[in-house]
């Protein structure tokens, strides 16, 4: 209001000089400004090409856009190599030659808190959570014409939040449990909880999701999270906690749904043409054809300078190699080897001896750029559901030639391998060992090996042995303690908090 | 919505009005100018036609006034009678007319130009007065004796005056014998000469180089330089003319204390230099000053024609900048363009020049590359367990090399291949004139500059029209119009991703690759054969389009009206258009790392804005008290629009436009609006020009801030004391000026995005079942309290001038503290966001500036003048708000830290302490000192930094990163020497800096010892452990035979580490002292003497030779230590990542005045 007083003052000054012939033009200019604009209106400019959050989250369609925004954040995490270097590269499946360059020591257990790649993954994960919270905070206050869709969207938000907290927690330990939108200052006050508390939170979220989600989606909605995807996520959480009986219940639900089945050919578990097929319980969706929704992880599986048929492009700097240890794990005649890895690739004109992972390079839409791979990346395959179920059965009790045997043998059969029998696998423990071997091969390069090693409690032993290999530094490195089952909280995040009573570093780092 | 519409209507109304005014003004302007150019006097050339019957004399006189510009002075009583006349005349001169009209009336007349006095014959009064006045004539010349046209000659205290004619002559009637004549001319010292009965007065005008009576613009007004109370620097066109300055910012280098002009992007043609005034006052990212061009605020001065510039003034302290309030915080640059002066004249300026690279990097020659790579592959083989005695055929290809390496002489010098000698040329034609009621300046210019990197160029066309006229004695109107078109192509050498620049590739490409390899069609040789290859940079430079065209038009009209004596109202309205279009196209044949898919994108944007400013100025002198009061208001609205499109895959590569591309990737448009409204005022007072005071304030509103903080107040105070005016100084009359100044003020900065206080949504799409799905989410957090950054500045100044102003000196000491820094503060990722735009912390800049001008030799044929400026600025971060005392940033593998207690943007790296020697390892090869895993003998030894308690942890990790060095110089300077001997003039400009550091990020690729690439020659002389000791007798990987043949020395130079093992790139070893000094310019010019010209065609002709960037002296290994590749990001300063080399220029020029 005071601004108006200023205007009138100016006008008064002019009026005092009314006998004087002030050029009419100037007066007009001045007046045209003064009359047509009050100052505060003049200074309130409305964004013309961006939506403001005010007025959003108020209608059904707003929430449809909002949930797509959450999927988009999860895609972001899977697009690129940074996240996978840590879920895949830390295990014994990959060679450790990338030390200090791109792995920041993550593969040699020399990693600290200064790993910028891990920081990117951390940040992407929290974006997923905040977008879920924005939806869950507001959706109950809005009426939907399609009430079923309202429940589905809520269910998706719970499931995605659960998956994200699970991923954070197995990678970094207990997390601050933020389940609503908070201001920056409020966020800074929420302290880390324990890993158990975080798992309980994840369990709760998954259960809510299971109650809300549909059994399946159709048409253009295919690929969204279903009830069974959430049950699989929950089962995986129970497996991680060795709660096999709980896991078993949910895995059985998936199997009994009759909606899924194993692909007849191993390769079809990964091909672009079999996306959202019977093998795929939960996968992160990508789309090629320069839609902007492609990923570049597939191409980054081979080294920069590559020329050949696998990809129309050169790969990425420092692609991960398969370790000789993994290659040695393959049984003779295992069909999965040539589908998973390849060697003798032409890199800058030299035929390399390294084995690269080619599992995610079976495209049918030709990528137009390095970022344009339309291949979906798996979160949960049906084979994994079955194998987890088999593991549960065996943990329940060893049954010679029982259902667990028939599951693992189905997997082996697809791989062109002979069946296991109670003669070769005579007891519960040897079945466990068989399962460890089979999972390693079946799920190589699918981010499952490392969490498996951790949940089985064999990470330290396996990795220490592995790092004795001549190709892996011949004992220069070792996993020097169980604290390395999780990573350090990124140092950058520590300084963003600057409060170790809230965001403390994991012990050992 | 309603509100928006209202303002739109207002906008179009005013715009429409503006267009009408413009048309009117132009029309009037042309008429007046045509009149001004005529040579005969008004009464001689004016004729009139009358046909009146039964008219009274008064009526006839009125009709004459209607038809002509004559006006009559008479006593109404004396001539008023009922007597009527019949008068019929055709094309009659005024004298003739009056003779007929007044015949037999007893009235007589006197003509003084347009004024005609009618009086009764024999009466006293007016007539008597007339008789007492005299007619004075004379000639005005300059010191060289040349006549000076256009000089204003006025009887002091009256409006009676005239302008000298083409020969410098004048005749002025009606001068009281006891009066005083004032002679004034732009750029010359005004002279007052008492008439004392003389009838001839010849005057020699002297140039106003002394500068004390010079007038300085201070924003919405001017002040005599000697009466300044704040810190203002002035630069005239001295710094611009006769130099191949392609854009105005280049002229700033080395000219002014407190003003740093940095070629942040190197020598890219058409690229504006970064201007920083008194250090960095913000961490927000943009520390650029506000530019005010002919009174109109702008964000930059890109594409202004240097040839049009009359003067540039820099407002440095807040008492000067506070009048620009919210936008003055980084200093203000006032640019005034030329106005019409003197008799009508045409000036032609032209130069032609050649540019060459200023420096060549010391990279490996062909044989050196071969030697190094033989050594490297040999050693890799040894390390893999091989032996030098094995035949080459037994090695795996990655360890082997072709036999041809030993004998080949077919090498390509890629650095030479992409750099060339480039021509540049500039032509400018301008016309200038000042008549008694109007002035006009217009110019057209053309610049064509090729860059020294193949196929890069910059072209510019400028046109300008500046005109003004006096509508009446009280009213003046003026217009400034300019139009610029520029066209530049950087061929993707300036992209922010330095490692993908063709220039960078040229520096690292293997010399074994030939000029006809390295494209899709030609194919690329294998790494085994030639080492590292990249897309052929010569071809890439040839076929890539990276073209930007600007079209800018600025129009401003103004009117001034003297309401009463001393009270002037000024209104100015300007409308500006700023449009650019950008096209990028790279055919698949030469794309880098994109699978040979052709890519292209294009964008166009336009900014339109209008600025309305109204000011009321009152200036009064009474009994030694001088008061100047300014009141003003301004409003501004700016609209921005952008369209962007991108596509890939062209079926044929002969057409570059996107319409024929096979896949459209994206197409978007965007609009934003910015508004600013202000009220301001200033009061200046002085007593006998001895005690000087000024106070000003601006109340500013900006659309960029939160609803709680839209308005801000920016006050300032300053005072000066001219000690030399005191009576106790009377004995020291060799001191012409001794003035102390002190000022305090506050100004702000609103350079952030347009809607940053609001929470906005962005689209984050996804796909389900291979169908694109639109997604939306918040992209930032709202901050309704977002407000101005405010800089408080305290300035102490001393102005000194002595020995008849032959020595002048200005010293300033200042302390600037900026609070409420606008910054995107990193916030916990757990919020779901990375940063939050808010106001945090404060920084301080303290500094000292010295400007010295000395006219060393002034008499005789030889003259010598020296100008020196020195500036020191110390930047310190005082706080970063909240509980954070530092934040870091990184780009590639370089890290930066801004930390409380230190300056903005220090490098953040590992420190080294020599090399790991064999004594640092035990017999089993275990290190005795902390090392990074993988380190070996001969690698750099890194420092394990102690913690707060002084203890080291024995481990090298990120806790050992320390702030080290920064890009801000300790001292910058410029030294100009001007010599003249008769008609020959020479000027030499030396410019440089002490201190400051630069991080050579190109090191990652061409100075880190990697094999395959072309790298610095020094790596041949890298540390080499005792190989025979390690691998056995005879196992020496160094190709001694080849080296002997090619005279290559591989002994350790004591500086270069072992490239094997591990050396951290992010260490102090690639941070270099940026101290440099440069012979920036040498100009030699010769003015042809009049008697040699022997023609009346030209009135002067001058030729010159100018050398720019003659030589830079520095220890820096890259192209230039001046660079800052990440440009405006103030928290990532001083990085050199494939900077475009500076060019040395040699130009020949001519300046002709017709």
């Amino acid at each position: 209001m005071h601004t108006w007083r200023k205007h009138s003052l100016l006008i008064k000054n002019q009026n005092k000089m009314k006998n004087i012939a002030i050029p009419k033009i100037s007066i007009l200019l001045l007046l045209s400004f003064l009359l047509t604009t009050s100052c505060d209106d003049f200074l309130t400019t409305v964004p013309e090409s961006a939506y403001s959050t005010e007025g959003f989250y108020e209608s059904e369609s707003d929430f449809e856009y909002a949930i797509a925004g959450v999927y988009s954040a999860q895609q972001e995490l899977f697009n690129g190599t940074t996240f996978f270097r840590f879920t895949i590269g830390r295990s014994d499946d990959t060679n450790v030659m990338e030390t200090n360059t791109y792995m920041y020591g993550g593969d040699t257990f020399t990693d600290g808190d200064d790993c910028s790649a891990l920081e990117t993954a951390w940040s992407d994960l929290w974006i997923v959570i905040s977008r879920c919270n924005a939806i869950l905070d507001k959706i109950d206050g809005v009426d939907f014409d399609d009430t079923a869709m309202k429940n589905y969207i809520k269910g998706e938000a719970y499931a995605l939040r659960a998956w994200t907290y699970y991923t954070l927690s197995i990678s970094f330990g207990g997390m601050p449990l933020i389940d609503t939108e908070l201001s920056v200052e409020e966020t800074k006050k929420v302290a880390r909880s324990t890993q158990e508390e975080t798992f309980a939170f994840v369990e709760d979220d998954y259960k809510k999701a299971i109650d809300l989600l549909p059994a399946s989606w159709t048409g253009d909605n295919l690929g969204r999270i279903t009830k069974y995807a959430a049950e699989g996520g929950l089962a995986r959480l129970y497996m991680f906690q060795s709660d096999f009986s709980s896991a078993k219940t949910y895995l059985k639900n998936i199997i009994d749904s009759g909606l899924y089945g194993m692909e007849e050919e191993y390769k079809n578990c990964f091909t672009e043409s079999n996306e959202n097929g019977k093998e795929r319980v939960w996968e992160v969706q990508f789309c090629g054809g320069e839609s902007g929704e492609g990923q570049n992880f597939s191409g980054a599986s081979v080294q920069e300078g590559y020329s050949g048929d696998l990809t129309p492009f050169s790969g990425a700097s420092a692609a991960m190699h398969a370790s000789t240890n993994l290659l040695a794990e393959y049984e003779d005649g295992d069909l999965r080897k040539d589908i998973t890895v390849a060697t003798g690739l032409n890199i800058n004109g030299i035929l390399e001896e390294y084995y690269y992972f080619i599992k995610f390079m079976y495209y049918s839409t030709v990528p137009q750029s390095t970022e344009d791979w339309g291949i979906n990346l798996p979160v949960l395959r049906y084979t994994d559901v079955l194998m987890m179920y088999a593991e549960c059965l065996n943990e329940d009790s060893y049954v010679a030639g029982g259902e667990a045997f028939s599951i693992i043998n189905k997997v082996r059969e697809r791989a062109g391998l002979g069946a296991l029998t109670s003669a070769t696998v005579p007891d519960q423990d040897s079945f466990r060992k068989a399962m460890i071997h089979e999972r390693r091969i079946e799920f190589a390069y699918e981010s499952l090996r490392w969490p498996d090693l951790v949940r089985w409690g064999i990470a330290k032993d396996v990795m220490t042995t592995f790092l004795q290999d001549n190709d892996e530094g011949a004992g220069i490195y070792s996993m020097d303690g169980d604290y390395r089952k999780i990573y350090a909280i990124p140092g950058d995040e520590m300084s963003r908090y600057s409060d170790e009573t809230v965001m403390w570093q994991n012990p050992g780092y | 919505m309603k509100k928006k519409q209202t303002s739109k209507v207002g906008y179009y109304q005013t715009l429409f009005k503006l267009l009408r005014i413009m048309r009117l003004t132009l029309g009037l302007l042309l008429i007046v100018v045509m009149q001004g150019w005529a040579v005969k006097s008004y009464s001689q050339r004016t004729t009139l036609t009358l046909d009146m019957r039964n008219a009274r004399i008064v009526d006839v006189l009125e009709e004459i006034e209607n038809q002509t510009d004559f006006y009559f002075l008479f006593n109404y009583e004396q001539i008023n009678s009922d007597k009527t006349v019949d008068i019929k005349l055709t094309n009659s001169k005024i004298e003739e007319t009056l003779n007929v009209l007044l015949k037999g009336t007893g009235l007589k007349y006197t003509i003084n130009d347009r004024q005609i006095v009618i009086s009764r014959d024999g009466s006293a009064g007016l007539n008597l007065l007339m008789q007492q006045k005299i007619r004075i004539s004379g000639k005005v010349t300059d010191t060289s004796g040349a006549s000076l046209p256009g000089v204003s000659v006025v009887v002091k205290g009256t409006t009676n005056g005239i302008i000298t004619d083409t020969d410098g002559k004048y005749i002025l009637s009606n001068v009281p014998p006891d009066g005083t004549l004032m002679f004034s001319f732009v750029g010359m010292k005004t002279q007052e000469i008492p008439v004392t009965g003389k009838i001839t007065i010849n005057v020699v005008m002297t140039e106003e180089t002394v500068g004390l009576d010079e007038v300085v613009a201070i924003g919405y007004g001017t002040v005599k330089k000697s009466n300044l109370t704040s810190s203002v620097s002035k630069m005239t066109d001295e710094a611009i003319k006769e130099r191949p300055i392609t854009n105005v910012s280049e002229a700033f280098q080395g000219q002014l204390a407190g003003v740093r002009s940095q070629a942040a992007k190197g020598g890219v043609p058409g690229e504006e230099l970064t201007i920083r005034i008194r250090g960095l006052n913000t961490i927000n990212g943009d520390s650029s000053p506000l530019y005010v061009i002919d009174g109109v605020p702008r964000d930059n001065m890109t594409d202004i024609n240097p040839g049009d510039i009359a003067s540039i003034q820099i407002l440095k302290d807040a008492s000067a900048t506070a009048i620009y309030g919210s936008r003055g915080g980084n200093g203000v640059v006032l640019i005034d363009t030329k106005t019409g002066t003197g008799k009508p004249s045409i000036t032609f300026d032209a130069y032609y020049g050649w540019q060459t690279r200023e420096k060549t990097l010391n990279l490996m020659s062909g044989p050196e590359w071969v030697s190094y790579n033989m050594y490297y592959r040999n050693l890799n083989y040894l390390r893999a367990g091989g032996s030098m005695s094995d035949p080459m055929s037994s090695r795996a290809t990655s360890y082997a090399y072709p036999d041809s390496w030993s004998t080949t002489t077919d090498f390509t010098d890629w650095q030479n291949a992409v750099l060339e000698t480039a021509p540049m040329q500039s032509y400018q034609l301008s016309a200038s004139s000042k008549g008694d009621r109007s002035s006009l300046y217009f110019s057209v210019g053309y610049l064509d500059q090729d860059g020294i990197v193949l196929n890069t160029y910059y072209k510019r066309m400028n046109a300008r029209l500046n005109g003004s006229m006096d509508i009446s004695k009280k009213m003046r109107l003026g217009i400034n119009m300019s139009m610029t078109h520029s066209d530049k192509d950087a061929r993707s050498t300036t992209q922010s991703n330095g490692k993908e620049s063709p220039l960078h590739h040229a520096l690292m490409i293997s010399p074994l690759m030939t000029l006809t390899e390295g494209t899709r069609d030609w194919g690329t040789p294998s790494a085994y054969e030639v080492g590292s290859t990249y897309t052929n940079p010569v071809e890439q430079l040839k076929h890539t389009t990276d073209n930007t065209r600007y079209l800018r038009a600025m129009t401003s009209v103004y009117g001034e009206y003297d309401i009463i004596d001393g009270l002037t109202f000024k209104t100015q309205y300007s409308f500006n258009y700023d449009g650019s279009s950008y096209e990028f196209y790279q055919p698949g044949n030469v794309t880098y790392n994109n699978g040979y898919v052709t890519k292209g994108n294009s964008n166009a944007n336009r900014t339109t804005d209008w600025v309305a400013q109204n000011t009321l100025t009152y200036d009064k002198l009474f009994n030694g008290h001088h008061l100047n009061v300014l009141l003003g208001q301004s409003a501004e609205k700016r609209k921005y629009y952008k369209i962007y499109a991108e596509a890939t895959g062209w079926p044929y590569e002969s057409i570059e436009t996107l319409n024929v591309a096979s896949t459209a990737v994206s197409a978007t448009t965007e609009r934003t609006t910015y508004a600013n409204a202000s009220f301001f005022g200033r009061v200046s007072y002085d007593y006998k020009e001895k005690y000087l005071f000024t106070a000003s304030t601006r109340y500013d509103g900006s659309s960029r801030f939160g609803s709680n903080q839209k308005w801000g107040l920016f006050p300032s105070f300053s005072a000066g004391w001219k000690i030399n005016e005191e009576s106790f100084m009377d004995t020291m009359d060799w001191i012409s000026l001794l003035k102390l100044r002190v000022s305090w003020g506050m100004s702000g900065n609103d350079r952030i995005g347009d809607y940053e206080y609001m929470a906005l949504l962005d689209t984050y799409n996804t796909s389900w079942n291979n169908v694109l799905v639109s997604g939306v989410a918040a992209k930032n957090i709202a901050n309704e309290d977002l407000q101005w950054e405010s800089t408080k500045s305290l300035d102490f100044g001393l102005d000194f001038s002595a020995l008849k102003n032959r020595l002048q000196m200005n010293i300033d000491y200042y302390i600037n503290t900026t609070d409420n820094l606008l910054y995107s503060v990193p916030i916990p990722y757990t919020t779901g966001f990375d940063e939050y735009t808010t106001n945090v912390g404060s920084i301080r800049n303290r500094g000292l500036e010295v400007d010295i001008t000395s006219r060393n030799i002034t008499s005789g044929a030889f003259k010598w003048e020296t100008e020196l400026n020195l500036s020191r600025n110390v930047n310190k971060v005082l706080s970063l708000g909240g509980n954070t005392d530092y934040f870091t940033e990184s780009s590639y593998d370089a890290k930066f830290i801004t930390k409380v207690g230190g300056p903005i943007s220090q490098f953040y790296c590992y420190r080294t302490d020599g090399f790991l020697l064999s004594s640092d390892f035990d017999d089993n090869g275990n290190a005795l000192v902390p090392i990074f895993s993988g380190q070996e003998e001969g690698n750099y030894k890194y420092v394990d930094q102690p913690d707060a308690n002084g203890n080291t942890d024995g481990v090298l990790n990120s806790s050992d990163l320390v702030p080290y060095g920064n890009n801000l110089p300790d001292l910058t300077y410029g030294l100009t020497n001007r010599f003249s001997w008769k008609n020959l003039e020479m000027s030499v400009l030396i410019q440089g800096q002490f201190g400051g550091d630069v991080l050579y990020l190109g090191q990652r690729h061409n100075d880190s010892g990697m094999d395959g690439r072309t790298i610095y020659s020094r790596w041949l002389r890298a540390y080499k452990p005792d190989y025979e000791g390690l691998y056995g007798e005879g196992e020496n990987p160094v190709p001694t035979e080849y080296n002997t043949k090619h005279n290559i020395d591989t002994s350790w130079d004591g500086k270069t580490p072992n490239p094997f093992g591990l050396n951290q790139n992010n260490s102090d070893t690639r941070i270099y002292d940026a101290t440099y000094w440069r012979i920036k310019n040498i100009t030699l010019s010769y003015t042809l003497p009049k008697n040699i010209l022997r023609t009346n065609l030209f009135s002067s002709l001058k030729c010159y030779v100018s050398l720019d960037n003659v030589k830079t002296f520095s220890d820096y290994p890259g192209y230039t230590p001046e660079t800052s590749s990440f440009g405006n990001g103030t928290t990532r300063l001083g990085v050199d990542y494939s900077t475009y080399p500076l060019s040395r220029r040699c130009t020949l020029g001519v300046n002709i005045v017709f």
Side-chain angles (χ1 to χ4, degrees), chain A residues 2-3 6-7 10 13-14 17 20-23 25-30 32-33 36-37 39-54 56-57 64-69 71-72 75 99-100 110 113-114 119 122-123 126-127 130-131 156 176 178 183-184 187-188 219-224 272 275-276 285-291 293 304 312-315 317 347-351 353 368-370 374 376 477 492-493 495-499 503, chain B residues 3-4 6-7 9-10 13-14 17 21 24 396-398 475 526-528 559 561 563-564 567 569 571 573 592-595 597 610 614 616 631-637 639 648 663-665 669-677 679 699 701-703 710-711 754-755 757-761 763-778 781 784 826-836 883-884 886 888 895 910 933-934 957-958 1062 1064:
Chain A
H2 45 285
T3 58
K6 287 242 167 193
H7 282 302
L10 225 89
N13 284 340
Q14 315 263 332
M17 304 167 253
I20 300 154
I22 295 174
I25 289 159
S26 315
I27 281 289
L28 278 174
L29 275 175
L30 183 67
S32 67
F33 167 67
T36 54
T37 55
C39 268
D40 286 334
D41 286 348
F42 182 72
L43 292 179
T44 306
T45 55
V46 181
E48 292 159 84
S49 54
Y51 305 104
S52 160
T53 48
E54 262 176 65
F56 192 68
Y57 298 115
E64 282 167 14
Y65 290 129
I67 196 68
Y71 278 95
S72 175
Q75 265 186 327
T99 312
N100 287 313
T110 51
D113 63 357
D114 61 340
E119 192 180 302
W122 168 273
S123 148
W126 284 101
I127 291 172
S130 86
R131 291 187 190 166
E156 287 172 287
I178 300 169
S183 70
V184 177
T187 307
K188 282 184 169 177
D220 286 349
N221 285 322
L222 209 59
R224 294 174 74 163
E272 194 176 357
E275 279 173 6
N276 298 322
Q285 307 280 312
F286 290 97
C287 167
E290 288 285 33
S291 60
E293 296 308 312
E304 188 174 22
F313 305 108
S314 169
S317 15
I347 311 283
N348 286 323
I350 294 175
L351 298 182
E353 311 157 11
Q368 295 299 309
S369 73
T370 53
N376 291 352
Y477 310 110
D492 187 37
E493 182 73 326
S495 66
R496 282 161 187 254
Y497 270 93
S498 291
D499 183 353
M503 182 57 70
Chain B
K3 288 171 189 167
K4 234 173 97 184
T6 325
S7 65
V9 170
Q13 278 175 351
T14 37
K17 230 159 266 161
I21 296 162
L24 188 72
T397 48
S398 50
M475 188 171 164
S526 73
Y528 163 74
Y561 188 81
I563 297 161
I564 51 170
L567 182 67
F569 173 75
T571 181
Y573 189 91
Y592 170 67
N593 202 20
N594 193 38
V597 175
W610 59 259
N614 294 291
L616 206 53
L631 273 178
Q633 163 271 328
S634 87
E636 183 175 342
K637 195 157 220 167
K639 285 182 175 286
T648 63
T663 313
V665 177
T669 64
E670 199 183 313
R671 290 199 296 229
T672 60
T673 303
Y674 164 73
N676 178 291
F679 303 93
Y699 187 60
S702 166
S703 65
K710 284 246 183 281
W711 292 86
D754 279 326
Y755 308 105
Y757 70 93
M758 293 182 188
L760 297 179
L761 295 172
T763 51
Y764 299 94
N765 296 340
T766 191
S767 65
W768 290 326
N769 203 26
N770 291 319
V771 176
L772 183 86
V773 181
S774 297
V776 164
I781 301 179
E784 289 293 341
I827 52 174
Y829 290 117
T830 52
T831 56
F833 298 92
D834 175 24
E835 53 189 26
Y836 172 66
N883 45 16
T884 314
Y886 72 94
T888 60
K895 284 181 184 288
Y910 295 107
S933 46
N957 56 24
S958 66
L1062 176 90
Q1064 284 280 359

Side-chain angles (χ1 to χ4, degrees), chain B residues 313-337:
Chain B
Q313 267 125 138
I314 319 273
L315 311 185
K316 296 191 290 191
D317 65 354
S319 81
T321 60
I323 200 74
Y324 287 104
S326 67
R327 292 183 289 175
N330 293 320
V332 180
V333 176
L334 305 178
I335 296 177
D336 286 331
T337 56

